[in-house]
Amino acid sequence: MRFFPRRTFFWGFALILLLFGRVRIAPPDLAFYYSCGRSLAYDLDFCYANEYSHFRFAPHETYLTKPGYPANDWPIGTGIAWIPFLAAARLAKSIGSWIGGGSPPDGYGWIDQWIVTYGSTLLYGGGTLWLSYFYARRMGAAKQAAIWATAFIGLGSSFTYHLYVNSADSHAPSAFFIVIFLLLWRRQKAKPSFYHGLASGCALGMAALIRPHNLLFLLTPILEIVWDKRNRRTQDAPLRKDSAAFAALLAGTIAFFFPQMLLWKQLYGSWLALPRSEDVFWLHPHLWDTLFSDFHGMISWSPLFGLGLLGLSLNRRWLPLAAPVMLQLYIYSCNIAWWSGGSFGNRRMLGCVPLLILGLAGLFERIPKVWLKILAAACALWTWLLLNAEVGGAIRLDHYQKWSEIILAVSNGFWNGIAHQIPFDEWQNHFAERLAGCAIALAVLGIGYVILCCSQGKRAALLACAVIGFNLLCLAAIPRSSKALRTADVSGYNRYDRFSWVIYYEKGFYLALRGRDLEASESLLAAVTLEPSHSQPWMYIGEICRRLNWTPLDYHYFCAAMMQGQRRDFFLKKFVDIIDKMIDFDASNRHRYYNQRGVVHALLGESIAAEEDFRMAALLDPDFIYAKNNLQILRERNQGAQMPWQWK
């Protein structure tokens, strides 16, 4: 291990994270995860109304389930993984409050979120890299190849983004428990025992608790058992041992995943609610787009992942490992939001990072050429440049950008990204809290390490206590959840799920820019059906109709966008052109169109043109009171008054 020293890696990563890490716990995803952990650590319930009130959720992001609870469609596991750090923050703030040096603990402060961010990233992010290297070595990869693969993916892949930019997320814990499962199952194969099977199952159950699709990794032991059976001469006795090991694995998985089923039953009324499963269209994959699109393609944004997939697929011995990876990739490509929303690359595949590191190490070993490492370095540099542009604000992850825009953003945003790599505002505003939070998180990790070292020979009992205690904790939260709901204010929540309107809007915007107008208009219409109060989808449907010369549909959709608050100059200038066409198209209502064109001119700051339009409307129909009113409003607004226009 002298080429990859454990202590040097740990303290080096701890220092890098201290310098560059930033707090980004905000709606929707991260706030939902944080609410899960905070609710159990502070309230011991599954009613998240009080947590949600401390975050600025958009109106469409929260809704009530059928039993009346504020919904949390995100799995509970990430919040569970953060509980040790939330508990440490609570203890530290309690001590500080007791000695008169701080505010009482509530779990919402900046330092609470920083301790979670720093501690979880150091443990789960750094731990994933270290254990992935260790796993690659266990699977037969050469030391140098494993080091190169781990370093490249740690420094220049989509996983890098979640190590210090958007670090408090589900992806690092997901990858961490996947690699723990793989290591424990390999140990089970080398030294069969009920404990090793149960422990590997608990690790997989925790991984599934973070992202349920990780249950697909149950295929790995099944395929390995089948593979081994085919290559054995005497099969009966080993098969019985394998069956017992798999039964222990399954028991551990179910035992650790059971709290998620408890939560679903309490919140949704079903043991297998599987929220958002309706967003998956199983027979309509977008594999090419998921891998290579400019809209967050997994390989196009992180080419090292493509090399890792190639290396994993080329080795026949690793096919039991490649199967769940490929299945996850297929499922994610069938999701209606195959681009993964506001994602840096396709972030949903980051749980497979340990296997991508293994595949890349295998490729380096299979092709021990300098040019391959140069290619890998170029791939890592490309991803880092994209990351740098996002940090500098030149790339917007929640907004589709074509390759031409992305390349321009990488070029123009380079120095601004460099300047923003260190979060100076956080250092300036929270200097003491940042250092204190780092010390508290390191103390938690130190205590955990000591417990792990001292539990030699007692780990089976420790694991049993953890499984039983975890389930008892969640069972105790059930009656408290009902009590909390009775006192919670849920009057402002939606009565149905409107979250998908954003997905339809993003998809429609993407299709519109790709020139697929009919598909785009279908998706945008779905968006306005779910959430009619946002102007953007109305505007883009109108723009598509304008491009197709569909009069008067373009006029009606632009009117809807106007009514929902769209006021940008480029929109108003296009609207003037559309109203010009309507004046010729519908002669019987010209007075109305002149009045509306006058309002648009006024919003553009063109008072003279607005006055001419209002006068023309009044001339065409002397009884049309709205034009006369707008003339008066125009005079008063020119004198500084603030009065609304009459649009009729």
Side-chain angles (χ1 to χ4, degrees):
M1 299 290 178
R2 58 191 178 89
F3 293 104
F4 203 70
R6 180 171 53 191
R7 292 180 182 175
T8 302
F9 171 77
F10 175 82
W11 290 110
F13 185 61
L15 179 60
I16 290 171
L17 186 58
L18 175 63
L19 290 174
F20 297 100
R22 61 196 71 210
V23 174
R24 276 194 178 184
I25 295 179
D29 297 27
L30 301 185
F32 283 123
Y33 293 138
Y34 193 84
S35 297
C36 289
R38 194 266 169 204
S39 189
L40 279 176
Y42 280 79
D43 304 331
L44 192 58
D45 63 38
F46 295 136
C47 183
Y48 304 119
N50 55 330
E51 280 80 19
Y52 292 172
S53 66
H54 285 80
F55 292 100
R56 294 181 179 178
F57 284 102
H60 67 276
E61 291 173 342
T62 56
Y63 70 97
L64 294 181
T65 62
K66 288 183 179 179
Y69 285 90
N72 192 332
D73 294 344
W74 278 248
I76 194 176
T78 304
I80 297 294
W82 291 347
I83 282 181
F85 304 104
L86 279 166
R90 182 176 184 178
L91 177 62
K93 292 183 76 173
S94 297
I95 294 172
S97 177
W98 180 67
I99 63 176
S103 59
D106 59 6
Y108 301 113
W110 187 90
I111 190 170
D112 300 83
Q113 298 183 28
W114 167 241
I115 291 171
V116 166
T117 299
Y118 185 84
S120 65
T121 307
L122 187 57
L123 174 60
Y124 303 121
T128 294
L129 293 177
W130 167 255
L131 292 175
S132 297
Y133 159 79
F134 191 66
Y135 180 67
R137 294 284 291 123
R138 284 288 181 90
M139 292 298 290
K143 185 179 292 186
Q144 290 284 358
I147 289 173
W148 279 110
T150 306
F152 276 131
I153 285 185
L155 294 172
S157 71
S158 298
F159 193 65
T160 313
Y161 182 79
H162 292 274
L163 288 178
Y164 75 96
V165 181
N166 198 40
S167 46
D169 209 333
S170 65
H171 307 295
S174 174
F176 178 81
F177 286 102
I178 285 296
V179 73
I180 292 267
F181 156 70
L182 294 171
L183 283 166
L184 287 171
W185 181 250
R186 183 161 181 80
R187 184 70 178 271
Q188 156 64 30
K189 291 185 67 179
K191 296 182 179 180
S193 71
F194 180 81
Y195 165 70
H196 290 143
L198 185 67
S200 57
C202 290
L204 182 58
M206 185 63 189
L209 208 60
I210 294 168
R211 299 189 73 83
H213 289 133
N214 287 332
L215 284 173
L216 289 170
F217 278 94
L218 279 171
L219 283 173
T220 294
I222 293 173
L223 293 175
E224 285 184 348
I225 289 171
V226 172
W227 184 280
D228 292 344
K229 184 177 182 294
R230 289 184 59 187
N231 291 280
R232 286 175 179 151
R233 292 182 180 177
T234 58
Q235 300 177 356
D236 294 339
L239 183 59
R240 284 197 298 271
K241 289 183 179 180
D242 286 340
S243 300
F246 186 76
L249 166 69
L250 200 59
T253 303
I254 294 171
F256 237 84
F257 188 71
F258 181 67
Q260 181 65 69
M261 298 171 69
L262 275 177
L263 175 70
W264 285 338
K265 179 62 176 175
Q266 186 70 18
L267 263 59
Y268 298 91
S270 171
W271 292 100
L272 295 173
L274 294 173
R276 316 228 71 80
S277 58
E278 68 276 6
D279 292 343
V280 180
F281 297 91
W282 298 98
L283 300 180
H284 299 280
H286 293 265
L287 275 170
W288 178 264
D289 291 327
T290 302
L291 292 173
F292 300 108
S293 171
D294 45 6
F295 201 14
H296 309 161
M298 186 186 87
I299 294 176
S300 56
W301 280 57
S302 189
L304 285 174
F305 285 176
L307 296 179
L309 277 177
L310 179 62
L312 194 64
S313 304
L314 289 177
N315 193 319
R316 288 186 61 197
R317 294 185 298 111
W318 296 345
L319 289 181
L321 299 171
V325 176
M326 298 304 180
L327 271 175
Q328 283 202 26
L329 181 60
Y330 178 84
I331 290 172
Y332 293 143
S333 73
C334 291
N335 194 289
I336 186 174
W338 49 261
W339 59 92
S340 299
S343 171
F344 186 89
N346 201 297
R347 56 191 168 89
R348 292 179 178 138
M349 290 298 294
L350 293 182
C352 299
V353 157
L355 296 173
L356 297 175
I357 288 176
L358 174 64
L360 186 58
L363 195 64
F364 284 148
E365 197 168 3
R366 193 183 188 95
I367 310 174
K369 303 292 185 181
V370 175
W371 65 262
L372 182 59
K373 292 186 175 62
I374 294 174
L375 174 63
C379 293
L381 177 62
W382 164 247
T383 303
W384 185 86
L385 288 173
L386 290 172
L387 183 154
N388 186 67
E390 194 279 335
V391 169
I395 287 180
R396 292 178 54 190
L397 299 182
D398 60 346
H399 190 80
Y400 171 63
Q401 293 172 288
K402 296 181 180 179
W403 279 126
S404 56
E405 297 177 37
I406 291 173
I407 293 171
L408 189 63
V410 165
S411 174
N412 294 342
F414 180 80
W415 292 112
N416 193 43
I418 292 291
H420 286 84
Q421 285 290 337
I422 297 179
F424 289 106
D425 54 338
E426 290 189 11
W427 275 104
Q428 182 178 357
N429 298 328
H430 304 284
F431 181 83
E433 292 171 292
R434 196 174 180 89
L435 294 179
C438 172
I440 293 168
L442 288 173
V444 173
L445 296 179
I447 293 170
Y449 181 74
V450 170
I451 293 173
L452 196 63
C453 291
C454 295
S455 63
Q456 293 286 354
K458 301 177 182 178
R459 290 183 181 173
L462 191 65
L463 179 63
C465 290
V467 173
I468 295 171
F470 179 38
N471 279 274
L472 288 176
L473 182 76
C474 293
L475 284 168
I478 297 297
R480 294 177 61 89
S481 301
S482 302
K483 183 179 178 181
L485 180 62
R486 287 194 294 268
T487 59
D489 180 12
V490 295
S491 58
Y493 285 82
N494 297 323
R495 297 294 167 175
Y496 63 95
D497 180 12
R498 298 190 300 184
F499 192 88
S500 296
W501 90 266
V502 176
I503 297 171
Y504 285 110
Y505 164 61
E506 289 178 350
K507 183 180 179 181
F509 182 75
Y510 164 77
L511 293 171
L513 289 187
R514 304 284 290 190
R516 295 157 64 178
D517 290 335
L518 295 180
E519 294 175 80
S521 59
E522 180 182 353
S523 188
L524 291 167
L525 282 170
V528 299
T529 301
L530 283 170
E531 181 55 86
S533 64
H534 288 264
S535 65
Q536 298 290 94
W538 292 112
M539 179 182 71
Y540 288 119
I541 300 173
E543 176 60 27
I544 290 171
C545 294
R546 175 177 176 269
R547 195 157 59 205
L548 297 174
N549 201 28
W550 287 356
T551 305
L553 284 176
D554 53 357
Y555 165 77
H556 289 298
Y557 286 124
F558 265 65
C559 280
M562 184 89 166
M563 293 298 99
Q564 300 303 333
Q566 182 58 252
R567 296 291 187 273
R568 286 186 285 181
D569 283 358
F570 78 90
F571 165 81
L572 296 174
K573 289 176 181 177
K574 290 179 180 178
F575 202 6
V576 168
D577 294 338
I578 290 173
I579 296 175
D580 287 345
K581 290 193 298 181
M582 289 302 297
I583 290 173
D584 296 330
F585 182 81
D586 184 7
S588 62
N589 286 299
R590 283 182 178 177
H591 58 289
R592 298 181 185 274
Y593 300 131
Y594 274 112
N595 179 63
Q596 292 173 354
R597 193 173 72 175
V599 171
V600 177
H601 278 306
L603 291 172
L604 283 167
E606 301 170 357
S607 297
I608 296 175
E611 184 175 356
E612 291 176 356
D613 283 332
F614 294 144
R615 291 188 183 281
M616 179 59 72
L619 182 63
L620 289 171
D621 186 351
D623 296 327
F624 189 58
I625 191 65
Y626 298 102
K628 297 176 181 178
N629 291 343
N630 279 330
L631 276 171
Q632 182 62 31
I633 291 170
L634 180 64
R635 297 189 191 100
E636 294 185 13
R637 288 177 72 97
N638 287 337
Q639 295 174 1
Q642 294 295 325
M643 299 179 65
W645 299 104
Q646 296 189 8
W647 176 253
K648 184 68 176 181

